Structure formats: C-alpha cells, structure tokens
Amino acid sequence: MTTVRRAVLTLPAAPLGPDNPLPALRAPAGVGAHAVDPRTLAELPRDMARGIGRDPLRSLLPAPVRDGYGRERTPADLDTIVIENDRLRVTVLPGLGGRVHSLHHKPTGRELLYRNPVFQPAAFALNGAWFSGGVEWNIGATGHTTLSCSPLHAATVRAPDGGPMLRLWEWERLRDLPFQVDLWLPEGSDFLYVGVRIRNPHERTAPVYWWSNIAVPEDRRVLAPADAAWHHGYERGLSRVPVPVTEDGTDRTYPLNSTHAADWFYDMPEGRRRWIAALDADGTGLVQTSTDPLRGRKLFVWGTGRGGRRWQEWLTEPGTPGYAEIQAGLARTQLEHLELAAGAEFSWLEAYGPIVADPATALGEDWSAARADVERSLSGALPRAAVDAAYTAWREEAADLAPEEVLAAGSGWGALEVLRGGHELPGTPFPESTLGPEQEPWRELLRTGVLPAPVNGAAPLIAPLVASPWRDMLETAPADPTTEYQLGIAQWHAGDRAQAVRSWERGLKEAGTRWPLLYCLAIADREDGHPERAADHFEEAFTDHEATAGGTESATGPGTTAGADDDEGRALVATALGREALDALLAVDRPDRARALWHRLPDSARRRGAFRLIEVRLLLAERRPDEARAVFDAGFEVADLREGAEVLGELWQRFTDELLPDAYEFRMRPS
C-alpha cells in the first residue's frame, strides 16, 4: 500500500544564512539574461510577443533578497516527506520549495532524476538562493521562483483512489496568488501523479507563470513530439529552429552536443499528447506527461564550454556527473506569462515515471520513428485517457478536500491575505495560527488602521507589503516616518515613482533613523538616471547607520532572524548598505570616497568574496592593476554570483591578455 511519512536526509549543506535586510526595489538582477531584444520581439507571432511583454516585474517586492549563504558545506539534516508504494519511492523537501529530491524506481533500482549530492545555494532564483537537482515547481515570473529555498505548507489528504496524498501549498507573493501541488502514487503504479492548481481570488486579472523543472543526467537523449523549437540563448535572441538537427548539422537533442548554455522550447503541435523524455544509451529513462493545459516543453543545457562546466561544478561537487533540465510549462516559452481571470483557476495533472524504448529506434537518426517509439511505450505504460481520467477524479473528488495530518508549516503571509480579503479557498487553508512576527505589524494595521512604529526609534524594517489593498490602508494611516517609508515602497512597486519619492522625503523630515529612507531615495536616483546623487544618498545612508546603530532592527528586518544579536544585525545592515554604496561610488569614479568607506566596513564583510570583487574594481579605479591581479591570484569566490554574470572576465581583461582561469570562468555565451 502507498504510504506518506516524515524522514530526514543528511547532506553536505551550506547554510542559507539571513536574508538581505534592504527592500528589493529593483527588478531581478539577472532578468536581462532571459530578455528578448526589441528587434527579435517584433518578428515573433503576435500572441507570443504579447505574452512576453505581459506585466514584467518592476521589482522583487514584497519578497526579500536571499544572499546570506556561503560556500562552506557541513553535514546537515534536511526534513523530508517520503511517498512510497511497491514501485516508486519519492523524496520531497517541504522546507525547500517542495522540491522532489529523488524519484527512485524500486524494481530496477534506478534513480530517475539527477539527484544533487549536496545542498549548495546559488544566485539563480529571482530573489537569489536556489539549488540544483530534482523536480522544482516554479511559479511567479520568468525565472526560478522566490520560494526555491522557502518552506511550504504540507499535509496528507485522501487521494482519488482512497490512498494517502501529499499536499503542498503556499501564497506566492510576487503575483499574490495561492497555489497547491498534490502528489500521490496509486497502488501498484510506476508513475507519480502531480495535480497542480493556481487560483486567482482577486477581482482583477492576474499574470501567471508556471514551469516544472526536472533535472536529469546530461548523458541522455531528450525527445518530445515536435519538429521545431524556439531557441533562446544568452545573446537575447529567440529563433525558430528545426528539431533534432539544427542548421549547423548538430543534433541538439543530445545535451552534450551543445557548446554553450541554451534553452530549446519545443513547438508542440495542437492536439498532440504532451510529453518529454530523457533516455540513456539502453533506451531507458524518465518520461513526464500531462493533461493539455501544460502545453510547453523545454530542454535546457549547460553546454560543454568552460563556463557551463564551471557552473556545473559550482552547483555541486567537482567531479560529479553533470545534468540537463527537461521542463514543462503553461506557455510555449518561459519568457511568456498567461492571464488568469478574476475568480478563475488554472489546473492540470502531471505524471512522472520510467520509460523503456527500443534504443536502436529511439536513439536513431529517424526522428519521426524515434518519437513514435517513445510515444508507443508511453501509451502502453500510461495511456493518455488514464491521465485525463486521473485529472478529472482529482479535480472533482480530492482537490478541495481539507488537509488531514499537517506535516510541515509554510509562511503566515497567506493567513494574512485570507484575514484581510475573506477568501474562501477549499483545500488550502491558511489559518490565523500560522501568523508570525513578520505579519503582526500588518495585522495591527488591519485591526486599528495604524502601522505600529518601531520601539525606541529603531529602523522601520518591517517586511513590506505592496498589494493595492495594503497600499490603500497605508495612505489613510497616520503619516509617521514608518508609514511613509512603507507607503513609498508600495507606491514604487505600483509604478508611481514620483509619489514614492515624495513619501520618502516626507518621512525623512521627521525620522530619527534616516538610513532606510535614504537607501530608498538612492535607489530612486539610480533608477531615474542620477548616479552622482544616488552615490551621495547611499554614502549618507551608510554614515547614518553607523551613527544610529544600536537599535533593534536585527529583530524586525525582513528575513532576518527574530531576536538576533544586535551586533549581528548591525553588521548585516552595514554589509548590505556598504556593498550598495561602494558600487555606486565606483560607478561615478569616486575611488577616494570608496576607499574611505571600505575601511569603515565590518571586517567580516571585507573577507567575503563579493567584497573581494569590489576590491578589484577599487584597485583598478586607483590605477593599481598589479594589486588587482594579486587579488585574483590569491583566489576568491563570489557566493552570490548571478546567472549570466560576466564581470569576472571583464575585470580580468583590464589588466592582462592571459586566458581567464577556470575558477573564474562563468560566461554562458560565446565570447
């Protein structure tokens, strides 16, 4: 019989550390890596172009940036939930976005996924920390979800066949939408069933994004029912190319045939069954299929170039096998977003399991025969009608059932939204008992119309909320510095930048602790094309924090640990402000002031790889190239280096024509 139980997984792990205490007013730093240049956009099909241009993120608000992790790993126990029948054993990480860590096929002893042997955060999520391997559930906007390393609510529910089912659910904050992921193993089944539902409880249309990302060993052939794909590389282009062999004569269905990192979004014909498979040399592997609403399929490859191999090492242990990703999404490409009407939902069913095909055919040169062979095997193992019937049974009989045994807790943000909006969400309760310290100031605003001020003049580091109902409440609340600070953040998120600046300036006039408001004004200056004024404001914010440190911001900052030691909290803010201020001063060629600020940083900050990188920039600005080269030669690692970042190569070329060492080669596109 199928069972669902708690367990513990021990892995070498780098701690996540504290979140960045500064509000994330800017769009994701790596969003340009997934952009399309305007000329290409004009040549795309009209509906695709509309989806690409639909509701781009103006900022990461209200999510915090997660950049407190490092690269030192020690054994750590991770809570897991194991779903098991006599055919499959599925290991889920409820505290890390509900990631499926392992899909083990018991009769053959095979691991169907790429299973990362370590937990190593890296800056690939929209808000920073992400890790590779398994199956991840991406909701929100183009990129890896802000929930990649966050806990989800988890509980058992009755599956359509009467057995136990694992439900994961949360409130996604970028788009302000609740969602659920139900996982179950019918008795005797070789396939994991996954029912997904995204609901829009608001009285407005909402943009929606979803991609299920599946890591598989890269020494595979990837097959999908398509003769063409939309190719997207880090050159910001999007072009339709033939599958499997592209114009240069290369069969791109083998991940190791590509030199550079790239996406291949398969152009799936209407009416065809949705599936994607990754097969090894003997014709066995993993297949993913779904009901029709999950229309998109994709292959992502790291490539065999130096940059791709370095990223593979960066995300796991050097010397371990590499991986590729096969993916499934609501749109044709990950650059598009769909519209979800007010009060409506998107729901579908996915299935994951082993596939066995004839290797001579499935791996052969006849693409039509290869696809047909895999599809015949899939039809024999799991007919399309069975998937459709399972979806209907789940949606009608199980999706709305109340959770039974609670196995893990997520955040309290959903409870706050339900409390404010009175939303009825059968199957995904967000009880008031899940409210915590981060939500308490907002519950007080909801109850009294007043946002509580910090104690003893401390910094107003309340985790922000930016949805229009909260903005409306802030506009009618008493206008003290804390309220003006939060109101400005909400106005900035809504695109009313001029009004946001006015709110921050009003708050600044009466604020005892000025640096949070100065930081916001600095971001506004930089985004509005005033880099010199931005540098002044960043530097002033850093100085004000030095002068006023000693309050209790460490206990109230978004993402910081409640009750943290004051010295730790002060160092956290000083590090975040110092990084911003140094970057701004160097951008306007003020190395003398940057050097003076450098000496005022906490010692712990100057030792971090991100600041060693800033030190290189500072030394070059001071015309000290030999000393800049010495920093490279001594070695450093920037733990939160962004996907697609090329800064290491650019700096290296400023003082030498030598080949960039492998340790610093992270470039993901042709030179």
Side-chain angles (χ1 to χ4, degrees):
M1 294 180 63
T2 299
T3 60
V4 176
R5 57 183 170 85
R6 292 188 182 95
V8 173
L9 173 69
T10 302
L11 290 179
L16 278 171
D19 291 348
N20 193 303
L22 307 178
L25 299 176
R26 285 168 290 184
V31 73
H34 301 287
V36 176
D37 64 80
R39 184 174 180 179
T40 299
L41 194 63
E43 298 172 352
L44 297 176
R46 185 174 299 177
D47 62 332
M48 183 181 288
R50 277 200 304 268
I52 292 173
R54 180 173 288 127
D55 293 296
L57 292 180
R58 296 190 183 97
S59 74
L60 278 172
L61 294 167
V65 172
R66 314 202 72 176
D67 59 1
Y69 53 87
R71 304 260 323 147
E72 294 183 5
R73 297 190 287 266
T74 56
D77 292 338
L78 304 178
D79 291 332
T80 68
I81 299 173
V82 177
I83 314 166
E84 189 167 10
N85 66 5
D86 62 337
R87 312 291 294 177
L88 288 173
R89 182 168 60 248
V90 184
T91 304
V92 179
L93 302 172
L96 295 169
R99 181 82 58 101
V100 176
H101 174 72
S102 170
L103 188 60
H104 178 78
H105 188 234
K106 295 162 74 171
T108 61
R110 295 173 66 102
E111 174 58 51
L112 301 181
L113 304 172
Y114 166 77
R115 184 175 56 190
N116 198 332
V118 305
F119 172 69
Q120 176 57 64
F124 277 68
L126 287 164
N127 63 334
W130 170 87
F131 64 107
S132 65
V135 183
E136 58 175 311
W137 319 111
N138 288 299
I139 181 173
T142 299
H144 296 281
T145 177
T146 60
L147 296 168
S148 292
C149 292
S150 296
L152 304 188
H153 299 282
T156 56
V157 187
R158 288 295 98 189
D161 63 358
M165 178 169 72
L166 172 63
R167 173 162 299 158
L168 306 167
W169 74 100
E170 244 304 352
W171 196 283
E172 200 285 316
R173 300 180 69 206
L174 289 184
R175 301 304 194 182
D176 206 20
L177 301 174
F179 71 98
Q180 73 188 76
V181 180
D182 288 354
L183 304 97
W184 76 101
L185 290 172
E187 188 173 349
S189 174
D190 278 312
F191 283 82
L192 170 68
Y193 286 1
V194 181
V196 183
R197 175 165 62 171
I198 304 170
R199 286 187 276 200
N200 180 7
H202 307 296
E203 297 179 353
R204 54 172 173 78
T205 300
V208 170
Y209 171 95
W210 181 280
W211 280 79
S212 303
N213 288 13
I214 309 143
V216 294
E218 65 183 351
D219 58 343
R220 299 288 189 266
R221 188 184 202 188
V222 174
L223 299 96
D227 292 309
W230 293 93
H231 170 246
H232 180 260
Y234 287 80
E235 304 87 358
R236 300 183 64 182
L238 187 64
S239 57
R240 196 171 185 270
V241 299
V243 172
V245 179
T246 53
E247 290 89 343
D248 63 359
T250 304
D251 187 339
R252 301 291 180 178
T253 62
Y254 290 90
L256 291 174
N257 282 354
S258 293
T259 304
H260 301 287
D263 302 323
W264 311 88
F265 299 102
Y266 294 110
D267 200 354
M268 310 278 281
E270 293 294 335
R272 294 291 300 273
R273 185 176 186 181
R274 313 297 193 191
W275 59 269
I276 189 167
L279 306 181
D280 62 16
D282 65 2
T284 62
L286 171 75
V287 65
Q288 186 269 5
T289 187
S290 72
T291 50
D292 289 349
L294 202 67
R295 69 176 293 190
R297 294 298 186 276
K298 170 192 163 182
L299 166 65
F300 166 76
V301 300
W302 283 106
T304 57
R306 291 203 308 147
R309 303 333 291 172
R310 181 64 177 125
W311 275 117
Q312 295 263 33
E313 292 179 348
W314 188 254
L315 297 171
T316 183
E317 292 282 10
T320 57
Y323 76 96
E325 287 181 351
I326 58 175
Q327 306 180 10
L330 284 173
R332 281 173 293 188
T333 73
Q334 286 178 328
L335 311 178
E336 303 165 73
H337 295 75
L338 304 184
E339 286 187 338
L340 182 58
E345 70 173 50
F346 287 138
S347 61
W348 64 91
L349 186 128
E350 306 178 40
Y352 297 78
I355 190 76
V356 180
D358 173 28
T361 304
L363 307 181
E365 295 183 2
D366 187 334
W367 179 241
S368 295
R371 291 179 340 203
D373 187 67
V374 173
E375 193 148 359
R376 278 194 299 271
S377 179
L378 174 60
S379 296
L382 185 65
R384 182 177 185 176
V387 175
D388 292 339
Y391 165 75
T392 300
W394 166 73
R395 185 61 195 85
E396 294 180 354
E397 302 170 19
D400 287 346
L401 290 179
E404 297 175 356
E405 180 187 0
V406 174
L407 301 176
S411 77
W413 295 113
L416 187 67
E417 292 301 328
V418 168
L419 188 64
R420 181 202 58 77
H423 305 302
E424 296 290 337
L425 300 169
T428 55
F430 293 96
E432 285 193 53
S433 60
T434 61
L435 292 168
E438 283 192 309
Q439 293 81 42
E440 187 54 40
W442 297 102
R443 181 159 69 165
E444 186 69 14
L445 174 66
L446 187 63
R447 184 167 52 228
T448 67
V450 178
L451 192 65
V455 178
N456 298 327
L461 289 185
I462 298 169
L465 283 176
V466 295
S468 56
W470 296 104
R471 187 173 71 249
D472 293 343
M473 281 184 267
L474 289 168
E475 287 175 344
T476 59
D480 58 29
T482 298
T483 302
E484 296 286 14
Y485 171 70
Q486 291 290 345
L487 176 58
I489 291 173
Q491 290 165 334
W492 179 269
H493 174 75
D496 192 351
R497 293 187 171 187
Q499 189 58 55
V501 169
R502 285 192 285 271
S503 295
W504 293 326
E505 288 175 341
R506 284 196 304 268
L508 197 61
K509 293 177 181 178
E510 299 181 10
T513 301
R514 294 162 50 87
W515 66 260
L517 294 148
L518 290 166
Y519 163 78
C520 292
L521 290 170
I523 294 293
D525 288 333
R526 183 153 65 188
E527 295 293 300
D528 291 340
H530 304 292
E532 291 84 4
R533 199 164 67 201
D536 291 338
H537 273 138
F538 278 125
E539 191 176 14
E540 189 180 355
F542 184 87
T543 300
D544 182 77
H545 176 261
E546 278 186 315
T548 60
T552 58
E553 59 259 24
S554 62
T556 55
T560 58
T561 303
D565 180 79
D566 286 344
D567 289 340
E568 180 183 342
R570 288 195 295 270
L572 182 67
V573 175
T575 298
L577 284 175
R579 190 172 179 179
E580 294 279 7
L582 287 168
D583 182 72
L585 289 167
L586 290 173
V588 295
D589 195 23
R590 295 177 181 173
D592 292 344
R593 289 165 62 175
R595 176 60 68 184
L597 193 147
W598 173 268
H599 289 301
R600 293 152 59 193
L601 288 169
D603 290 340
S604 59
R606 287 196 296 265
R607 292 193 297 267
R608 291 178 56 180
F611 285 87
R612 300 299 304 280
L613 178 61
I614 291 174
E615 185 181 14
V616 171
R617 295 174 57 202
L618 179 54
L619 289 166
L620 288 171
E622 294 171 330
R623 295 176 172 80
R624 298 157 66 184
D626 292 343
E627 293 173 70
R629 168 67 185 263
V631 176
F632 269 89
D633 291 343
F636 64 92
E637 292 183 324
V638 183
D640 61 338
L641 193 70
R642 291 295 311 194
E643 175 185 6
E646 300 181 349
V647 62
L648 292 171
E650 292 167 354
L651 291 175
W652 177 263
Q653 290 171 353
R654 290 181 59 183
F655 51 73
T656 182
D657 293 329
E658 297 174 24
L659 182 68
L660 182 67
D662 287 345
Y664 303 114
E665 181 56 276
F666 291 93
R667 290 173 290 195
M668 299 175 69
R669 62 176 178 171
S671 300

